[in-house]
Amino acid sequence: MSKVLVSDPIDQAGIDILSQVATVDVKTTLKPDELVNIIGEYDALMIRSGTRVTKEIIEAGTNLKIIGRAGVGVDNVDVPAATRQGIVVVNSPEGNTIAAAEHALAMMLSLSRHIPDANASVKRGEWDRKTFVGAEVYKKTLGIVGLGKIGSHVAAVARAMGMKLLAYDPFISTERAEQIGCQLVDMDVLAQQADYITLHIPKTPETTHLINAELLAKMKPTTRIINCARGGIIDEAALASAVKEGKIAGAALDVFESEPLAESTLREVGKDIILTPHLGASTTEAQVNVAIDVAEQIRDVLLGLPARSAVNIPGLGPDVLEELKPYMQLAETLGRLVGQLAGGRVELLNIRLQGEIATNKSQPLVVAALKGLLHQALRERVNYVNASIEAKERGIRVIETRDAAVRDYAGSLHLEATGNLGTHSVTGALLGDGEIRLTNMDGFPINVPPSQHMLFTLHRDMPGIIGKLGSLLGSFNVNIASMQVGRKIVRGDAVMALSLDDPLPDGILSEITKVPGIRDAYTVNL
Ligand SMILES: NC(=O)c1ccc[n+]([C@@H]2O[C@H](COP(=O)([O-])OP(=O)(O)OC[C@H]3O[C@@H](n4cnc5c(N)ncnc54)[C@H](O)[C@@H]3O)[C@@H](O)[C@H]2O)c1
Ligand SMILES: O=C(O)CC[C@@H](O)C(=O)O
């Protein structure tokens, strides 16, 4: 049975799902060196934001197949190191969207009305109404930095509260922003005009210290900033000075450059800075959502199925996976087949996507074909995560073409592999019931389902050849399950595709090519 380590507090709903397929150990107080020492035992690791999954931990995780982040941000995982080792990294892109958006809105209102300090003063026995005079958000301008899932929900609620909306997001179209009721502007305009600025972007090299002393200097003295995205997007020292010196009115922060927040000038500023301990996703609802979402993906990967929200499988989002899932198996099967037909060292793989799969969302099919192609050499070491890297490192050139006009099946794939032993090609399609059909081999039309053990021959189409091959296989105690001949012209060249109940014994291929008329024979195990 597989073993899963849960190293941060995760809702029981997630543990229950994992327990269906694995032994689950919940250890939420491990120090980094303790995690390095035990991670080798586990097939999967499930975390929240508390565990930092470093390269050292990943390298010690020799059995790891998947790291599941119960939340959005994967900045606490060394994703390149995981990719290199073929470990899938998944997250829950939507499970805590509402929770994080509502926390940002709560922070905005709390900051405007001094709720945390007013509450503390009443609890101290005071009744001070002068100190806590606030500001309204109605008719004020909210500048949203990052108009993704959380930013869009914040926009919808803020609009309903009567706020005017500006947004900065270089990756969002003007039409999309207008749909949400936002005017797209550049960061400087947003900084100069907004009364409230809320951040909903990932932390990347481009966004680190996006809010710095220079930008703070452009803001109005009445501006308030909310950060429920990631620590480090704001230069904390510059922010603390700007609020202290009255250059801006205040800030509400849920996330910090280093967490837990150590000694910091942010604590010294008083009622105009509100701090919460990374609570954006901490609602009962969000924790159930993310736990279920990520646990289901870990379960699927441990069962050999693809994950719907893998962050390190190029192009494979949930919507794409839904559409391409049936074709992934086809691509991998054809990759395995053509790799074994080509034998030796493959240098070039031509992939043609035909019919309904000839779209620009087809990159996962290329990855699946490469995974199949490399299976012979790498076995279980190759997977959807590292197939492209492994192919590149082996010097395999990949050429991808698309032809939507081919309509003999709804969608079909044609793979041609060229290596030091020659060139071979296969085509395959899916039938209406999802069954795979091999429809062409080396240019000869066939119509056979793939099977575990197969034999292909290239021969001259002449009487008696099938009988001789059958007798030869019989003499080696190999049972034929099905057989089909594909030819272009009568008595010309032909291929034979045989499904066998047993693997071919060593040495039989050279006997097969001694049969008069048979030029070549290839054994394939799928
Ligand atoms: N505080 C919490 O507990 C909590 C909870 C959930 C999410 N988060 C964080 O909130 C952030 C947003 O999450 P989301 O689900 O909305 O993500 P998302 O991917 O849906 O949206 C992010 C948006 O940022 C934009 N963006 C990327 N780089 C940018 C740049 N350089 N400048 C401006 N915009 C840029 C993208 O185009 C995208 O629209 C993430 O950092 C996530 O980790 C925090
Ligand atoms: O795990 C958490 O509580 C925080 C999650 C949040 O930061 C996220 O990026 O999803």
Side-chain angles (χ1 to χ4, degrees):
M1 205 171 191
S2 299
K3 283 186 80 178
V4 181
L5 176 63
V6 176
S7 62
D8 287 319
I10 299 290
D11 192 90
Q12 186 59 35
I15 312 283
D16 291 345
I17 291 168
L18 296 173
S19 305
Q20 294 166 4
V21 294
T23 305
V24 184
D25 291 343
V26 181
K27 299 182 180 186
T28 57
T29 54
L30 292 170
K31 298 201 173 64
D33 55 333
E34 292 172 328
L35 189 48
V36 169
N37 286 340
I38 63 166
I39 194 67
E41 296 170 32
Y42 293 95
D43 301 278
L45 173 64
M46 186 161 174
I47 57 165
R48 276 178 62 188
S49 55
T51 303
R52 182 150 291 278
V53 188
T54 57
K55 188 167 183 236
E56 198 189 356
I57 291 168
I58 288 168
E59 282 173 356
T62 45
N63 286 316
L64 274 185
K65 289 154 196 77
I66 176 164
I67 297 167
R69 159 72 162 102
V72 182
V74 288
D75 46 325
N76 54 329
V77 180
D78 188 334
V79 179
T83 304
R84 190 68 200 81
Q85 215 164 293
I87 300 168
V88 189
V89 180
V90 301
N91 68 350
S92 173
E94 289 173 14
N96 59 27
T97 299
I98 302 298
E102 289 184 357
H103 196 68
L105 290 157
M107 293 287 250
M108 179 172 74
L109 293 172
S110 301
L111 190 57
S112 284
R113 305 303 291 268
H114 312 294
I115 288 172
D117 280 52
N119 167 64
S121 88
V122 174
K123 286 189 176 161
R124 281 195 303 270
E126 299 162 10
W127 195 254
D128 177 358
R129 299 175 68 212
K130 274 196 208 116
T131 310
F132 301 119
V133 174
E136 292 176 12
V137 299
Y138 182 64
K139 288 201 170 162
K140 298 283 167 45
T141 298
L142 174 63
I144 303 174
V145 182
L147 209 47
K149 292 179 286 295
I150 298 171
S152 301
H153 189 71
V154 167
V157 178
R159 199 176 168 200
M161 290 197 294
M163 299 187 85
K164 179 185 166 202
L165 305 178
L166 299 179
Y168 170 66
D169 189 327
F171 308 107
I172 289 280
S173 69
T174 312
E175 295 72 41
R176 168 75 185 136
E178 279 169 4
Q179 256 174 19
I180 305 168
C182 292
Q183 184 193 346
L184 272 189
V185 292
D186 70 30
M187 194 59 209
D188 271 4
V189 172
L190 186 143
Q192 284 155 13
Q193 296 188 3
D195 301 297
Y196 295 85
I197 296 176
T198 184
L199 307 180
H200 301 291
I201 49 177
K203 186 182 173 204
T204 63
E206 293 77 44
T207 62
T208 300
H209 286 193
L210 177 73
I211 309 291
N212 51 29
E214 200 188 328
L215 200 75
L216 286 161
K218 294 179 181 163
M219 295 175 191
K220 300 192 272 194
T222 49
T223 300
R224 292 176 172 90
I225 300 178
I226 298 107
N227 185 10
C228 291
R230 274 293 174 271
I233 298 172
I234 301 182
D235 177 343
E236 288 172 359
L239 178 76
S241 309
V243 178
K244 225 185 216 168
E245 293 161 17
K247 289 184 183 151
I248 65 166
L253 308 178
D254 184 47
V255 286
F256 304 92
E257 297 202 11
S258 156
E259 295 180 14
L261 181 66
E263 253 180 54
S264 166
T265 48
L266 292 168
R267 287 204 177 85
E268 295 157 15
V269 183
K271 72 177 186 350
D272 294 324
I273 288 196
I274 297 180
L275 310 174
T276 52
H278 204 145
L279 291 182
S282 292
T283 63
T284 313
E285 295 86 345
Q287 284 316 305
V288 171
N289 291 344
V290 296
I292 291 178
D293 192 358
V294 170
E296 282 180 349
Q297 296 188 70
I298 292 178
R299 176 198 64 197
D300 287 354
V301 168
L302 293 179
L303 292 174
L305 302 167
R308 62 178 168 261
S309 302
V311 300
N312 58 351
I313 300 182
L316 196 63
D319 49 333
V320 178
L321 178 62
E322 191 59 34
E323 226 174 288
L324 291 185
K325 210 172 181 178
Y327 286 105
M328 304 269 292
Q329 188 57 43
L330 171 67
E332 191 173 336
T333 303
L334 295 180
R336 280 196 191 198
L337 180 49
V338 82
Q340 291 175 61
L341 291 175
R345 199 180 59 245
V346 171
E347 286 146 10
L348 173 65
L349 181 67
N350 267 296
I351 304 178
R352 194 166 66 234
L353 303 126
Q354 306 176 145
E356 68 176 20
I357 52 172
T359 71
N360 56 8
K361 288 197 245 162
S362 49
Q363 198 183 2
L365 297 183
V366 176
V367 174
L370 285 172
K371 174 175 183 261
L373 183 81
L374 293 169
H375 180 263
Q376 187 75 349
L378 298 175
R379 301 284 151 176
E380 62 286 341
R381 278 218 305 109
V382 64
N383 59 25
Y384 293 123
V385 177
N386 62 4
S388 301
I389 298 179
E390 292 288 352
K392 202 168 170 193
E393 284 183 355
R394 283 171 167 68
I396 301 173
R397 215 152 56 83
V398 180
I399 298 178
E400 184 189 338
T401 51
R402 301 184 190 126
D403 189 349
V406 178
R407 284 285 172 195
D408 41 357
Y409 292 89
S412 58
L413 264 174
H414 175 78
L415 265 57
E416 185 188 84
T418 302
N420 57 336
L421 302 178
T423 296
H424 288 276
S425 69
V426 286
T427 308
L430 286 187
L431 301 187
D433 56 4
E435 287 283 309
I436 295 177
R437 277 291 177 284
L438 306 176
T439 59
N440 197 293
M441 184 229 160
D442 282 349
F444 293 93
I446 51 174
N447 190 335
V448 288
S451 67
Q452 193 182 358
H453 309 295
M454 298 191 82
L455 170 67
F456 293 87
T457 66
L458 182 60
H459 62 273
R460 190 130 194 94
D461 180 30
M462 57 192 231
I465 206 159
I466 295 174
K468 282 184 194 136
L469 181 61
S471 309
L472 180 65
L473 292 176
S475 70
F476 280 88
N477 200 27
V478 174
N479 203 34
I480 301 173
S482 71
M483 191 276 288
Q484 201 189 73
V485 175
R487 59 187 188 178
K488 291 182 210 164
I489 51 166
V490 177
R491 299 213 178 210
D493 283 339
V495 295
M496 219 182 314
L498 295 97
S499 296
L500 309 172
D501 289 335
D502 316 283
L504 279 186
D506 288 345
I508 193 172
L509 280 186
S510 56
E511 294 301 314
I512 292 173
T513 48
K514 283 181 196 152
V515 174
I518 295 187
R519 284 215 309 273
D520 263 319
Y522 307 90
T523 174
V524 167
N525 292 299
L526 295 175

